[in-house]
């Protein structure tokens, strides 16, 4: 049965019936709160038009836990590809080109008479998807009048951004919809102080996100600036607010409290963590939720127990906390509907799991995973005085041995960010060698630490059973001599 459109998958039984037909099936696991899911769904819809003989289904991950659990879905967007009734591939994350590649691989060319399209997609892709990928890239590039890719260009852009408003907040999300508890706290403080401020969502621009850490020599977010000077992050702003110093510093810089509608728009009725006093939560429930959140320095509200998670998102956060050797307590929200529904209002966060550190909401599965990959989770814990039992050396050794063949590269196998990494990926694929990979551009601590641990100053680096094989030149030489596959299978 030809598709040509995306359908909602309502049950596991419906999926099993579809797979029994032995057709090509692609699932998109998504969540209504995830912006990346919405953007990728546009690409997914166009692909369904370009590949009408495949069946395309959308699965709301949290509403279909049985299906999500069956395919180990721990973050969205997430895609699963089926051929002849069997799962043959997966894709995690918002990567339009990789999605188009994988769909083309499993579904074949757009038409029987047309060859696979070249260009950046590398596989078959019709005009609709090509146009959508261009739009997606344009929407996410955040191009301004600066020279991307050059140190001076980025520095100039950052200087322009930090000086774009007298008070400027770099945060996760927007003032109306903060994506982490620390950002929400600083927004609330500025609202209470009735301070006009500009903001920039660092989740929308990785170049700014990483560049500003070095520019300011401040490794975490949010970051608050006054007249181009960094004041600090959440803890410092909170302490300044409580002592009255924040108002004094702003006055010293000629910035006074404002009675504008912007400053007061979300002020009335707002309490701790963005809690609305008019939310309908009773004082007893508020008190109970506050007590639960603060019952442990690190507190996870999840579906199920740490040893028996009831959803992939909860399992992912548990795995991350255990990998980082962080002591934590948990609460199974499936056992108490009053807590389950009340906490959504209390935290202004509509889904689970929810992770709190020292009473502050960090976020859900996607944010915690992102913080782990960037090293920000460890830094936040250190700032909060919470010991992390894992050293960098132990973490590096865990990464090196996480797959028998492990490649540390710039970018991902489907989207290499340097020619040397791309050459090694191609060599491994041509030799049909299965391998794991780690994008060193996402974690500066791993990037620098691995150079020291391996005594190898450049990337990519390829490891076999925990031992360094070498970089690009050595891998290509081994392949040229016909020794690569045997070296990686001894």
């Amino acid at each position: 049965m030809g598709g040509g459109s995306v359908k909602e998958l309502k049950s596991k039984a419906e999926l099993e019936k579809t797979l029994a037909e032995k057709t090509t099936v692609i699932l998109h696991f998504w969540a209504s709160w995830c912006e990346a899911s919405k953007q990728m769904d546009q690409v997914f819809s166009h692909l369904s038009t370009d590949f009408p003989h495949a069946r395309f289904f959308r699965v709301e991950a949290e509403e279909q836990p049985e299906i999500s659990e069956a395919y180990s879905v721990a973050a969205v967007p997430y895609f699963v590809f089926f051929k002849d009734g069997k799962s043959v591939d997966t894709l995690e994350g918002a990567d339009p080109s990789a999605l188009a590649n994988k769909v083309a691989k499993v579904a074949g060319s757009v038409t029987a008479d047309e060859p696979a399209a070249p260009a950046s997609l590398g596989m078959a892709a019709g005009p609709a998807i090509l146009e959508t990928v261009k739009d997606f890239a344009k929407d996410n590039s955040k191009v301004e009048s600066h020279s991307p890719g050059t140190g001076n260009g980025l520095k100039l852009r950052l200087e322009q951004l930090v000086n774009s408003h007298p008070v400027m907040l770099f945060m996760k999300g927007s003032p109306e919809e903060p994506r982490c508890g620390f950002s929400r706290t600083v927004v609330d403080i500025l609202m209470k102080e009735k301070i006009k401020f500009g903001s920039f969502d660092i989740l929308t621009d990785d170049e700014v996100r990483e560049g500003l850490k070095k520019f300011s020599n401040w490794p975490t977010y949010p970051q608050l600036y006054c007249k181009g000077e960094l004041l600090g992050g959440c803890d410092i702003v909170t302490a300044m607010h409580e002592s009255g110093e924040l108002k004094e510093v702003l006055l010293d810089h000629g910035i006074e409290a404002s009675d504008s509608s912007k400053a007061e728009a979300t002020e009335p009725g707002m309490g701790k963590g963005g809690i609305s006093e008019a939310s309908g939560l009773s004082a007893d429930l508020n008190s109970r939720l506050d007590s639960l959140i603060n019952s442990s320095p690190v507190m996870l509200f999840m579906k199920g127990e740490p040893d028996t998670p009831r959803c992939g998102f909860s399992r992912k956060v548990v795995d991350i906390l255990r990998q980082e050797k962080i002591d934590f307590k948990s609460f199974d929200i499936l056992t108490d509907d009053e807590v389950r529904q009340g906490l959504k209002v209390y935290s202004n966060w509509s889904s689970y799991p929810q992770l709190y550190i020292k009473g502050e909401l960090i976020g859900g599965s996607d944010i915690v995973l992102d913080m782990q990959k960037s090293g920000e989770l460890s830094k936040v814990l250190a700032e909060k005085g919470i010991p992390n039992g894992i050293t960098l050396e132990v973490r590096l050794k865990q990464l090196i041995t996480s797959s028998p063949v492990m490649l540390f590269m710039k970018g991902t196998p489907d989207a290499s960010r340097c020619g040397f990494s791309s050459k090694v990926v191609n060599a491994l694929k041509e030799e049909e060698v299965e391998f794991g990979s780690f994008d060193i551009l996402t974690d500066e601590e791993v990037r620098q630490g691995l150079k020291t641990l391996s005594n190898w100053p450049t990337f990519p680096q390829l490891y076999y059973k925990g031992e360094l094989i070498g970089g690009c030149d050595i891998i290509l030489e081994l392949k040229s001599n016909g020794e690569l596959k045997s070296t990686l299978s001894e």
Side-chain angles (χ1 to χ4, degrees):
M1 174 179 169
S5 63
V6 181
K7 298 175 182 177
E8 296 287 341
L9 191 64
K10 297 297 185 181
S11 68
K12 191 174 182 183
E14 182 183 358
L15 174 61
E16 290 171 347
K17 181 180 177 182
T18 303
L19 294 178
E21 298 173 5
K22 305 290 185 182
T23 58
T24 298
V25 176
I26 302 109
L27 304 183
H28 173 202
F29 290 87
W30 71 288
S32 58
W33 45 263
C34 179
E35 195 61 35
S37 287
K38 296 174 185 177
Q39 292 174 323
M40 287 299 287
D41 195 55
Q42 296 176 33
V43 179
F44 195 63
S45 295
H46 281 296
L47 281 165
S48 73
T49 302
D50 284 342
F51 296 88
H53 300 295
R55 305 283 298 277
F56 290 75
F57 289 94
R58 187 185 295 111
V59 185
E60 190 162 3
E62 291 182 332
E63 297 301 318
Q64 300 292 338
E66 190 178 13
I67 305 175
S68 299
E69 185 80 9
Y71 297 101
S72 302
V73 178
V76 291
Y78 189 84
F79 302 87
V80 182
F81 305 82
F82 298 86
K83 187 85 170 178
D84 297 325
K86 296 180 181 179
S87 172
V88 295
D89 204 353
T90 61
L91 173 66
E92 181 177 313
D95 189 335
S97 295
L99 177 61
N101 279 335
K102 288 177 180 285
V103 169
K105 184 177 179 181
V106 75
S109 297
V110 180
T111 69
D113 299 325
E114 292 180 2
S120 61
L121 297 186
M123 298 288 282
I129 182 58
L130 285 167
E131 189 63 33
T132 302
V133 170
K134 288 178 184 176
D135 290 343
F136 186 97
K138 182 179 178 181
D139 290 343
N140 285 278
S141 63
K142 308 296 179 187
V143 175
E144 296 179 15
S145 56
H146 70 287
S147 303
T150 66
N152 290 336
L154 177 58
K155 184 179 178 182
L156 176 61
R157 185 185 180 203
L158 294 175
E159 288 175 347
Q160 290 173 342
L161 281 171
V162 299
N163 287 283
S164 60
H165 291 81
V167 178
M168 184 69 184
L169 177 63
F170 292 83
M171 62 181 291
K172 293 182 177 179
S174 65
E176 294 77 20
E177 295 183 8
R179 294 289 302 278
C180 83
F182 302 112
S183 294
R184 178 182 289 112
T185 296
V186 175
V187 168
D188 287 347
I189 288 171
L190 293 173
M191 293 293 188
K192 288 171 184 175
E193 296 276 0
K194 297 186 178 180
I195 301 299
K196 281 186 175 181
F197 64 98
S199 70
F200 185 94
D201 181 1
I202 53 96
L203 296 178
T204 66
D205 193 316
D206 201 55
E207 183 182 47
V208 169
R209 180 179 187 170
E210 296 305 318
L212 195 61
K213 292 178 183 179
K214 297 174 183 176
F215 179 88
S216 63
N217 194 28
W218 194 269
T220 58
Y221 290 96
Q223 294 181 16
L224 184 67
Y225 291 76
C226 175
K227 295 287 184 76
E229 295 293 329
L230 176 67
L231 293 182
C234 180
D235 285 352
I236 289 176
V237 174
T238 300
M240 292 176 70
H241 168 63
E242 291 174 350
S243 68
E245 186 183 355
L246 180 60
K247 186 173 289 186
E248 293 174 5
V249 168
L250 293 173
L251 282 172
D252 288 344
H253 285 80
I255 299 168
E256 298 183 8
S258 168
D259 290 326
S260 72
S261 58
K262 182 182 189 306
E264 295 184 339
T266 56
E267 170 69 9
M270 295 305 291
K272 180 180 177 182
I275 308 157
S276 172
E277 293 170 1
S279 65
L281 296 182
S282 68
D284 286 344
L285 180 54
N286 262 314
S287 176
R288 185 183 176 208
L289 293 174
D290 188 68
S291 178
L292 282 171
I293 288 169
N294 289 282
S295 61
S296 172
V298 180
M299 187 70 188
L300 177 64
F301 291 84
M302 62 180 290
K303 294 181 180 180
E305 302 287 344
D307 291 331
T308 54
R310 297 285 299 277
C311 81
F313 300 104
S314 293
R315 173 183 288 108
K316 188 67 177 179
V317 176
V318 168
D319 288 346
I320 289 170
L321 294 174
R322 286 178 169 172
Q323 288 166 13
E324 299 290 329
K325 296 187 177 179
I326 299 165
D327 288 331
F328 68 98
K329 288 184 179 179
S330 67
F331 185 92
D332 181 1
I333 52 97
L334 298 178
T335 65
D336 192 318
D337 200 57
E338 183 183 50
V339 170
R340 180 178 186 175
Q341 301 305 327
L343 194 60
K344 292 180 182 179
V345 178
Y346 183 100
S347 63
N348 192 27
W349 196 271
S350 62
S351 59
Y352 290 97
Q354 294 182 16
L355 182 67
Y356 292 78
I357 296 178
K358 290 287 184 76
E360 295 288 347
L361 175 65
I362 298 298
S365 171
D366 284 354
I367 287 177
V368 175
L369 177 61
D370 186 52
M371 289 177 71
Q372 185 201 31
K373 288 181 176 178
S374 68
E376 194 172 345
L377 181 60
S378 295
K379 292 167 186 172
V380 168
L381 289 165
E383 287 177 356
K384 294 289 185 180
I386 298 170
N388 180 347
I390 188 169
T391 65
L392 176 58
E393 183 176 359
V394 169
R395 185 182 175 212
L396 292 175
K397 288 180 178 178
Q398 288 176 344
L399 284 171
I400 288 168
T401 57
S402 61
S403 176
V405 180
M406 188 67 187
L407 177 64
F408 292 83
M409 62 180 292
K410 293 181 180 180
T412 65
D414 291 319
S416 299
R417 296 285 297 277
C418 84
F420 301 110
S421 294
S422 180
K423 288 178 181 178
V424 173
V425 167
N426 290 337
L428 293 171
K429 287 182 175 179
E430 287 170 11
E431 295 292 325
E432 297 183 342
V433 175
E434 292 187 1
F435 64 98
S437 69
F438 184 92
D439 180 1
I440 53 96
L441 297 178
T442 66
D443 194 318
E444 188 67 17
E445 186 180 49
V446 169
R447 181 178 186 173
Q448 300 304 328
L450 201 58
K451 292 179 183 179
T452 303
L453 183 71
S454 64
N455 195 26
W456 194 272
T458 59
F459 291 95
Q461 295 182 15
L462 185 69
Y463 291 78
Y464 177 59
K465 291 185 176 180
E467 296 294 328
L468 176 66
I469 301 300
C472 180
D473 288 348
I474 290 176
I475 302 308
L476 296 182
E477 184 179 349
L478 286 170
K479 182 177 183 296
S480 177
N481 294 337
E483 301 173 0
L484 181 58
K485 193 161 187 175
S486 61
T487 300
L488 301 177
S489 58
E490 292 176 351

